[in-house]
Amino acid sequence: MEEKIKKQAGYAIEIESLTKTYGKKRGVRGISFAVEEGDIFGFLGPNGAGKSTTIRSMLGMLHFSEGQIRLLGMDTKKQQKEILNQVGYMPSEAFLYPSMKVKKVISFAAQARKKDCEKEAARLSRILEVDGEKKISELSLGNRKKVSIICAMQHKPKLLILDEPTSGLDPLMQEAFFGLLLEYNSQGTTIFLSSHVLSEVKKYCRHAAIIRDGRLAGTDTVANLSRTNLRRVRIREKGEEKEFVHDGNIKELLVRLNEMDLEDVLIEEPPLEEVFMHYYE
């Protein structure tokens, strides 16, 4: 692709026309969006939609066939080493050295960036209740996730990229984790959060992109993406209760209801999950 992305001050992530295919298998096609510095950005989609493929392309871990990507103003193909020194990445699968102690894995991650992260690593370990003396092989999925979180955050990166970070964490640890994200964000860290958990995206993210079958279905503020004409309608007619979803003009709905012999009616907004699922249908 000949056209170059112009570096724009104020963007932590710039993706233009990203295409990555796996032969006949689904990849991602024509993905374009930008994330402002200092944002908490949600990347939302069901499993298999292309979230991890996009992230691995962003970090230079996959060779993509078309498009351009800049992280922190740097070209992901030409400046991968410089990017990885300033980015914290947590993969969806916490693959760690099973025979090593937790504290050694955390220290190893810090040494790879040639940074002294001992103080911050200790603080994060206290908050997330991580035992540094245990071996990785002795840990549950949730505890391996917590070690992966520490490895990604301990060097206080300018950009945090997190791929399905809360799977395996109990509710208390999820709360502690998001508390840390808000703290880092208040200090200037941009956060890119890939998730299929709709409620956490709405609660913590300001902007989001929705991916479906390898293509973007929408990019906007979370408030705008969750704004919809969808209405869940419950009626009682001749003693029988029915329920349906209306997607359209409210006046048309009222006309339709007026034609029925109703005993009772309830019109309400659908839950968040149903609103976002509308993008996947």
Side-chain angles (χ1 to χ4, degrees):
M1 184 175 180
E2 295 298 328
E3 185 180 352
K4 302 292 184 181
I5 294 180
K6 294 180 180 178
K7 179 180 176 181
Q8 300 181 37
Y11 287 102
I13 300 172
E14 299 166 85
I15 300 179
E16 183 177 325
S17 303
L18 171 64
T19 297
K20 168 63 182 176
T21 58
Y22 300 94
K24 294 183 179 180
K25 294 183 179 179
R26 180 189 304 157
V28 295
R29 299 179 296 280
I31 300 289
S32 296
F33 63 86
V35 177
E36 294 182 359
E37 290 178 355
D39 201 0
I40 303 179
F41 190 95
F43 194 42
L44 186 62
N47 291 330
K51 300 190 301 297
S52 293
T53 295
T54 302
I55 288 175
R56 290 168 184 161
S57 297
M58 287 163 57
L59 294 166
M61 297 176 179
L62 287 178
H63 175 74
F64 47 93
S65 51
E66 295 179 28
Q68 291 181 306
I69 304 175
R70 284 188 181 275
L71 299 187
L72 302 172
M74 295 177 283
D75 187 293
T76 192
K77 286 185 175 180
K78 299 176 181 177
Q79 298 168 280
Q80 184 190 29
K81 183 177 180 180
E82 294 91 330
I83 286 172
L84 294 179
N85 278 333
Q86 298 184 47
V87 172
Y89 167 55
M90 178 184 173
S92 57
E93 303 291 338
F95 293 115
L96 304 167
Y97 299 101
S99 62
M100 290 177 65
K101 285 188 175 182
V102 166
K103 64 180 182 181
K104 185 63 178 177
V105 169
I106 295 171
S107 175
F108 184 70
Q111 290 171 17
R113 294 187 172 89
K114 299 179 181 179
K115 293 184 179 180
D116 181 4
C117 307
E118 186 175 353
K119 185 176 180 180
E120 183 66 2
R123 186 180 78 93
L124 294 173
S125 295
R126 286 195 301 272
I127 292 171
L128 296 175
E129 300 178 5
V130 170
D131 184 351
E133 295 300 325
K134 284 192 173 183
K135 289 185 176 181
I136 297 297
S137 60
E138 300 173 329
L139 302 182
S140 65
L141 170 62
N143 281 321
R144 291 200 303 274
K145 280 276 189 176
K146 290 190 282 185
V147 174
S148 188
I149 290 169
I150 294 170
C151 289
M153 298 179 71
Q154 64 179 337
H155 62 295
K156 297 184 178 181
K158 293 182 179 179
L159 172 62
L160 257 175
I161 298 176
L162 308 162
D163 194 358
E164 300 284 356
T166 58
S167 60
L169 298 183
D170 64 47
L172 286 177
M173 282 298 107
Q174 289 183 25
E175 186 175 346
F177 167 70
F178 280 112
L180 287 169
L181 289 194
L182 293 174
E183 175 192 328
Y184 273 53
N185 181 248
S186 70
Q187 297 169 1
T189 299
T190 303
I191 295 167
F192 184 87
L193 176 68
S194 167
S195 178
H196 66 272
V197 183
L198 305 170
S199 57
E200 67 186 25
V201 170
K202 183 170 184 182
K203 186 174 182 179
Y204 295 104
C205 297
R206 298 170 197 140
H207 297 83
I210 297 174
I211 188 170
R212 168 194 173 189
D213 295 335
R215 295 185 184 275
L216 283 189
T219 306
D220 207 331
T221 65
V222 170
N224 285 342
L225 287 171
S226 58
R227 189 176 294 124
T228 179
N229 290 325
L230 282 177
R231 293 294 182 270
R232 178 167 291 284
V233 184
R234 295 185 177 90
I235 63 173
R236 187 166 68 245
E237 185 179 15
K238 298 179 181 181
E240 184 179 356
E241 293 190 356
K242 299 177 181 178
E243 183 177 302
F244 62 90
V245 173
H246 177 80
D247 182 11
N249 190 296
I250 190 66
K251 291 182 179 179
E252 294 175 358
L253 173 62
L254 295 176
V255 169
R256 179 181 175 187
L257 294 174
N258 190 51
E259 295 172 348
M260 299 178 179
D261 184 17
L262 296 179
E263 298 170 1
D264 198 6
V265 62
L266 174 65
I267 303 173
E268 59 186 356
E269 289 188 354
L272 176 67
E273 285 77 7
E274 196 166 310
V275 172
F276 276 102
M277 283 305 294
H278 183 62
Y279 287 94
Y280 305 148
E281 294 172 353

